[in-house]
Amino acid sequence: MIEIKDLHKSYKMGSNSLHVLKGLNFSIAEGELVAIMGSSGSGKSTLLNILGMLDEADSGTYDLDGVPIKNLNETKAAKYRNRFLGFIFQSFNLINYKSAMENVALPLYYQKVPRKEREEKALKYLAQVGLKEWAGHLPNELSGGQKQRVAIARALAAEPKVLMADEPTGALDSKTSYEVMDLIQKINDEGNTILVVTHEEDIAHMCKRIVHLKDGVIVEDKKVEQVRAAQYVK
């Protein structure tokens, strides 16, 4: 599903250059649930930006579902993002003046899905995350955990090939974090490919594989015994 070969990325810092990614190689198969870990400055955010087509590598290759991702202008990058990817962010990134249903329907609007169908799909995915009865509520009427569930429903609505979650539990307390991870695990159980960027060990071990970045290189890539979040959700 994702194939990265010899990926390099540097940034100009005044007269110097900062080499952030130093020849990464890894692949993610369809249906995997992978955690990417690393301290601040390890390169994980840069990697996620490249995988999310928000930035481009200096050299190396990135194939997504068999499609080479390179030399994309913003229009094409946006089209590919809509077609392939769903994003879940630490800060939820919901639009405050739109209801939960309108937020979830937004990616479908960009895909030019007719309004009635958008609303039906949005309700379906809100039901999937347990928030159908909150469809008419604005984000400021929801708890942090509910906002993240709306964000997950929005990411699912466009039926992406890969879900990318950037610190999805970073703004949540432990109990709510485990509820969100329980939901992410259930979505993965249905065959969805999910990438979780996290700095939290317990969250990483709720995935099935951990890729550890340090100073722009992969220092460890291992399959782990998955801890099911459901046992912590009462």
Side-chain angles (χ1 to χ4, degrees):
M1 181 59 73
I2 287 177
E3 188 80 43
I4 292 283
K5 284 187 182 151
D6 198 26
L7 209 68
H8 286 264
K9 180 69 180 178
S10 297
Y11 292 105
K12 285 267 181 288
M13 307 286 282
S15 58
N16 299 320
S17 182
L18 182 65
H19 198 176
V20 183
L21 299 181
K22 303 167 183 171
L24 296 193
N25 292 285
F26 75 102
S27 58
I28 294 174
E30 190 168 352
E32 279 201 273
L33 173 51
V34 180
I36 293 182
M37 290 201 79
S39 57
S40 183
S42 62
K44 64 184 193 299
S45 297
T46 301
L47 175 61
L48 194 74
N49 284 341
I50 290 170
L51 293 175
M53 294 177 245
L54 301 165
D55 201 350
E56 215 166 337
D58 297 332
S59 62
T61 60
Y62 167 26
D63 285 16
L64 177 56
D65 200 28
V67 177
I69 304 299
K70 61 179 180 185
N71 304 329
L72 302 183
N73 59 34
E74 186 43 48
T75 309
K76 200 165 189 187
K79 186 179 146 208
Y80 276 16
R81 279 196 296 270
N82 274 336
R83 181 172 144 204
F84 288 117
L85 305 173
F87 292 95
I88 304 163
F89 302 95
Q90 177 177 341
S91 54
F92 322 127
N93 285 19
L94 300 177
I95 296 173
N96 289 328
Y97 57 85
K98 289 189 178 291
S99 68
M101 184 175 76
E102 288 168 329
N103 268 286
V104 174
L106 207 54
L108 303 172
Y109 171 81
Y110 291 119
Q111 288 183 350
K112 298 186 168 48
V113 173
R115 183 177 196 146
K116 189 167 185 295
E117 193 183 331
R118 286 201 306 266
E119 290 178 353
E120 283 169 2
K121 271 195 167 180
L123 283 174
K124 174 186 143 186
Y125 284 106
L126 279 173
Q128 192 174 332
V129 301
L131 286 179
K132 191 176 181 180
E133 66 275 23
W134 293 81
H137 288 252
L138 294 172
N140 66 7
E141 298 170 319
L142 305 174
S143 69
Q146 287 173 322
K147 286 178 192 172
Q148 195 55 294
R149 284 169 178 269
V150 172
I152 291 169
R154 178 185 58 194
L156 289 172
E159 294 169 1
K161 301 273 186 189
V162 181
L163 270 180
M164 293 189 176
D166 187 6
E167 299 280 1
T169 60
L172 306 172
D173 61 61
S174 295
K175 179 179 179 294
T176 313
S177 294
Y178 296 148
E179 287 170 0
V180 165
M181 284 310 295
D182 181 41
L183 182 56
I184 284 174
Q185 287 179 338
K186 284 172 179 164
I187 292 163
N188 175 247
D189 291 343
E190 290 172 13
N192 291 282
T193 309
I194 307 176
L195 199 59
V196 177
V197 170
T198 182
H199 65 278
E200 298 170 275
E201 283 283 348
D202 56 341
I203 297 300
H205 279 272
M206 291 177 180
C207 300
K208 296 172 179 172
R209 176 180 157 201
I210 300 174
V211 176
H212 217 117
L213 279 180
K214 186 177 182 183
D215 298 329
V217 295
I218 292 171
V219 291
E220 189 175 46
D221 183 348
K222 62 178 182 182
K223 284 192 158 55
V224 291
E225 186 68 41
Q226 185 185 37
V227 175
R228 294 300 295 197
Q231 64 187 311
Y232 300 108
V233 179
K234 295 289 179 280

